[in-house]
Amino acid sequence: MYQEIKITRSSNSRIDTLDFNHIPFGKVFTDHMFVMDYRDGEWVNPEIVPFGMIPTHPGNLAWHYGQAIFEGMKATLSKAGRPLLFRPELHSVRFNDSARRMCMPEVPEAIFIDALKKLIGLDVAWIPPQEGSALYIRPMMYATDESIGVRQSDTYKFIIMLLPVGPYYDHAVKLKADEFYVRAVQGGVGEAKTAGNYAASLLPAKMARAEGYDQVMWLDAIHHKFVQEVGTMNIFFVIGDDVVTPATDGAILKGITRSSVIQVLSDKGYNVVERPVNIDELLLAYQNGDLKEVFGTGTAAVVSPVCLIGYKDQKIELDTDKFVIAPMIKDLINKVRIQEMEDKFNWLVTVE
Ligand SMILES: *Cc1c(COP(=O)(O)O)cnc(C)c1O
């Protein structure tokens, strides 16, 4: 049985140490965190406690065999100063999709949302009010059985932590279309936000940086031709009058920003097409002058314009100052989040 959340308040808030105008990304955590355990087939001991360390046994299964998943979402402030969550139910659904793939227990949506609301309610003062800033929310779950040997864990920990983040200053990004390394394949775990996917991406990303790129643009694992996505972003191409994004095929993370962008652009009358996108098609469209914009979408940066794609000895170079659609969407989503623009699609959930 799910119990009431027990709350232990921090006696010593660190909020005075935060400079809201200069927040280092990913390094500042709020005063509290939510923690809950899974054992004997049920979630128990839901608690909000002061943010801090969690002692872990060295034989913890998650460290060795990778049963670990996470989500990334944002909260912002309404005009009335109330926290607003951006499409939290979709994040809950995706978290549970990841859990099932990794043989982990699901967290019921009611508990997920209740925990989010109570935790954010307590740390509401940490939500940066500036446009483009937000409270980044990181729910995560990992195996906690203490034993060696590959098998599914019987016990887990679910945690939610909160991090204030400033606006992502968008320098245009340079992508390397990798012809050798791959991120995911149908039947694999590419659709899950699971730790190993990101570990596997580190070496190719490091090699791409050594060649002057910012990130890898992943191609499919079979033909090494069809574009999948980038780092922690999905990708869009404006080709002629169409806005094209790779169709999710079991190997691409189903981004919630991706779905929001498709919704907005379709509503505005753009022809948005989800289909396979071949790198050769992009090179040809570029040569013909039909490739107008390339941009990534994800919770962290919302929209990142792409100024360069390198593939073998070929280069696609784009003047991101001429982009129209990418900055329009970024502005729209950021303004909806702080109620400067109408929330036409009911994306926001208010924390009372
Ligand atoms: C999280 C993530 C995305 C973007 O998803 P959003 O829901 O838009 O934040 C895209 N690709 C990968 C691999 C991701 O981990």
Side-chain angles (χ1 to χ4, degrees):
M1 265 305 291
Y2 179 64
Q3 304 126 345
E4 273 292 294
I5 299 173
K6 182 181 157 200
I7 299 177
T8 309
R9 282 170 183 269
S10 151
S11 54
N12 192 344
S13 174
R14 287 174 281 107
I15 194 154
D16 291 341
T17 62
L18 181 66
D19 174 356
F20 275 96
N21 293 314
H22 303 93
I23 312 175
F25 188 87
K27 296 201 185 337
V28 181
F29 296 83
T30 66
D31 286 327
H32 300 91
M33 62 183 180
F34 176 84
V35 185
M36 178 169 72
D37 295 314
Y38 187 83
R39 66 169 98 98
D40 302 324
E42 59 183 8
W43 288 107
V44 294
N45 302 336
E47 262 196 289
I48 291 173
V49 293
F51 187 87
M53 301 290 176
I54 296 181
T56 310
H57 189 283
N60 188 48
L61 277 185
W63 299 155
H64 301 264
Y65 311 115
Q67 270 187 303
I69 60 169
F70 67 93
E71 264 306 316
M73 53 193 290
K74 277 180 176 172
T76 41
L77 276 185
S78 74
K79 285 208 164 134
R82 296 215 190 293
L84 300 167
L85 299 172
F86 191 80
R87 313 190 80 181
E89 15 17 87
L90 293 188
H91 287 277
S92 166
V93 167
R94 189 170 67 187
F95 189 74
N96 286 333
D97 289 344
S98 298
R100 275 195 306 280
R101 180 63 185 85
M102 304 311 290
C103 234
M104 300 165 84
E106 293 182 33
V107 175
E109 182 172 312
I111 302 181
F112 188 94
I113 305 278
D114 185 41
L116 273 179
K117 287 184 169 175
K118 294 229 162 69
L119 181 63
I120 292 167
L122 207 59
D123 281 342
V124 61
W126 289 83
I127 306 179
Q130 296 89 342
E131 178 178 336
S133 298
L135 191 65
Y136 185 79
I137 304 164
R138 172 51 60 91
M140 56 104 66
M141 191 206 308
Y142 58 91
T144 52
D145 276 12
E146 300 162 353
S147 67
I148 295 299
V150 178
R151 59 172 184 81
Q152 103 189 49
S153 184
D154 290 327
T155 64
Y156 297 86
K157 215 175 254 301
F158 173 69
I159 296 175
I160 304 175
M161 49 197 126
L162 307 175
L163 301 89
V165 294
Y168 233 80
Y169 289 109
D170 43 342
H171 71 291
V173 294
K174 298 180 182 143
L175 305 179
K176 173 187 172 185
D178 204 307
E179 54 185 292
F180 178 74
Y181 288 103
V182 295
R183 190 190 92 92
V185 65
Q186 280 87 4
V189 296
E191 271 191 1
K193 260 181 134 65
T194 187
N197 281 334
Y198 307 88
S201 74
L202 295 176
L203 177 65
K206 181 178 169 183
M207 291 167 70
R209 280 198 302 277
E211 294 171 43
Y213 296 99
D214 298 301
Q215 293 193 51
V216 172
M217 183 171 85
W218 302 105
L219 301 179
D220 78 283
I222 295 165
H223 310 279
H224 296 269
K225 283 288 181 190
F226 294 98
V227 177
Q228 293 185 322
E229 57 182 307
V230 177
T232 55
M233 292 192 293
N234 296 107
I235 192 150
F236 286 76
F237 304 96
V238 182
I239 306 174
D241 292 330
D242 291 345
V243 182
V244 181
T245 190
T248 53
D249 59 356
I252 294 174
L253 203 289
K254 291 179 179 165
I256 291 161
T257 318
R258 175 185 182 277
S259 99
S260 309
V261 167
I262 292 173
Q263 212 174 3
V264 167
L265 291 180
S266 305
D267 180 65
K268 288 191 178 292
Y270 288 94
N271 190 31
V272 184
V273 193
E274 297 176 66
R275 62 165 171 82
V277 181
N278 192 310
I279 183 78
D280 293 333
E281 175 197 345
L282 293 177
L283 289 162
L284 199 63
Y286 173 63
Q287 281 149 21
N288 295 340
D290 288 336
L291 185 62
K292 307 263 165 51
E293 299 184 34
V294 180
F295 56 90
T297 66
T299 294
V302 186
V303 171
S304 288
V306 174
C307 61
L308 175 71
I309 299 173
Y311 175 65
K312 298 186 176 169
D313 55 1
Q314 305 192 65
K315 284 198 174 0
I316 292 174
E317 285 170 298
L318 298 159
D319 180 358
T320 56
D321 290 340
K322 298 219 170 79
F323 287 11
V324 178
I325 296 176
M328 180 269 288
I329 298 170
K330 181 168 184 142
D331 187 60
L332 185 145
I333 293 180
N334 277 333
K335 288 209 158 78
V336 168
R337 284 180 190 281
I338 53 171
Q339 293 185 323
E340 296 245 323
M341 231 181 240
E342 186 202 349
D343 179 19
K344 195 169 170 184
F345 305 104
N346 289 313
W347 286 334
L348 301 172
V349 172
T350 307
V351 179
E352 296 301 339

